[in-house]
Amino acid sequence: MTGDLVGREPADTTIYVEHSGGHRAVRNRLDRASTTYQVYSRHREDAAALAFRVREHLLEDLPGRQVGEALVLDVAEEQAPLYFPDPTSREHSYLGEVALFITEA
């Protein structure tokens, strides 16, 4: 998993997670953070399988967990993993997006 793609070699299996926006959902109590995840792999089948595994963990395992100072109340799917080949490296990639509903723990 990486915060950016600096130093990554093409064809390395990689999960890239990025905050893509959000807003305060309930005044002073709840934030909604949009988060994208993109999985790169040399083989399309591997990229798809890993993207759907990431999706499963985000939707089923993350709600109710405390992460640092944040408590994840819920996770909602915005976009199921979609085939999105990288136009530069020509690698296989799947991209998905979830909304995290978080508050201070």
Side-chain angles (χ1 to χ4, degrees):
M1 189 139 69
T2 183
D4 59 43
L5 298 176
V6 174
R8 180 185 172 275
E9 293 294 325
D12 286 350
T13 298
T14 304
I15 302 171
Y16 179 65
V17 179
E18 179 179 39
H19 177 258
S20 60
H23 62 273
R24 179 62 51 124
V26 177
R27 188 176 310 140
N28 299 322
R29 293 187 302 182
L30 175 70
D31 286 315
R32 179 186 181 279
S34 297
T35 305
T36 60
Y37 57 94
Q38 191 163 4
V39 175
Y40 293 83
S41 187
R42 180 179 305 199
H43 304 288
R44 184 173 180 169
E45 301 82 19
D46 294 342
L50 187 53
F52 280 93
R53 183 80 182 248
V54 168
R55 173 189 188 225
E56 177 183 341
H57 284 294
L58 289 170
L59 294 174
E60 297 179 16
D61 297 338
L62 194 53
R65 289 193 182 233
Q66 183 173 337
V67 181
E69 297 293 319
L71 174 62
V72 180
L73 300 173
D74 201 5
V75 179
E77 185 165 63
E78 298 289 315
Q79 173 67 55
L82 175 69
Y83 186 61
F84 193 77
D86 187 283
T88 303
S89 68
R90 311 213 13 104
E91 294 174 275
H92 298 289
S93 176
Y94 278 78
L95 176 71
E97 184 172 12
V98 295
L100 306 176
F101 296 91
I102 55 178
T103 190
E104 289 185 26

